[in-house]
Amino acid sequence: QVQLVESGGGLVQPGGSLRHSCLVPGSPISIVAVGWHRQPPGKQRDLVANLTKYADSVKGRFTISRDYAKNTVYLQMNSLKSEDTAVYYCNKDSPSTWWNWGQGTQVTVSA
């Protein structure tokens, strides 16, 4: 079973930026289907970005990218808003193919 390792969370002011990283052990092809999910406080976990689309709430502000040489998936988050506060996770985008969830990284957007 793949053990995902996320990093990059933190506390940031509104309008700021953060970048998440997700190391995916195994073959580089395995990161193609990896997306980014988030779970705001008291809410369900939702997919916010994958290879082909972004959630409307993050479109134009978040960018997903991949480094196949490093088996790493990134999420660049710009123009952060308070509603982006959540725990962020990487995993495959389809529930039927999810690996075990990693520990996630906390992002807090606050003045």
Side-chain angles (χ1 to χ4, degrees):
Q1 187 55 261
V2 172
Q3 185 64 48
L4 301 165
V5 181
E6 301 111 334
S7 61
L11 173 64
V12 63
Q13 293 185 341
S17 298
L18 284 173
R19 190 177 79 155
H20 290 286
S21 299
C22 172
L23 175 63
V24 183
S27 169
I29 195 67
S30 64
I31 71 172
V32 172
V34 171
W36 284 94
H37 309 250
R38 72 182 181 187
Q39 186 168 19
K43 297 184 179 180
Q44 68 180 23
R45 182 164 47 202
D46 290 320
L47 180 68
V48 295
N50 67 4
L51 183 64
T52 58
K53 64 182 179 181
Y54 295 88
D56 288 342
S57 58
V58 307
K59 203 173 293 182
R61 300 187 298 119
F62 290 12
T63 303
I64 190 171
S65 60
R66 293 162 178 80
D67 185 332
Y68 293 96
K70 297 181 179 179
N71 269 33
T72 300
V73 183
Y74 302 99
L75 183 69
Q76 178 67 42
M77 307 188 298
N78 298 328
S79 302
L80 284 162
K81 305 175 181 180
S82 58
E83 51 263 45
D84 295 319
T85 295
V87 180
Y88 285 74
Y89 304 85
C90 61
N91 208 325
K92 289 189 174 180
D93 49 14
S94 173
S96 64
T97 62
W98 284 344
W99 294 307
N100 288 337
W101 292 92
Q103 79 282 3
T105 56
Q106 175 69 49
V107 171
T108 302
V109 183
S110 175

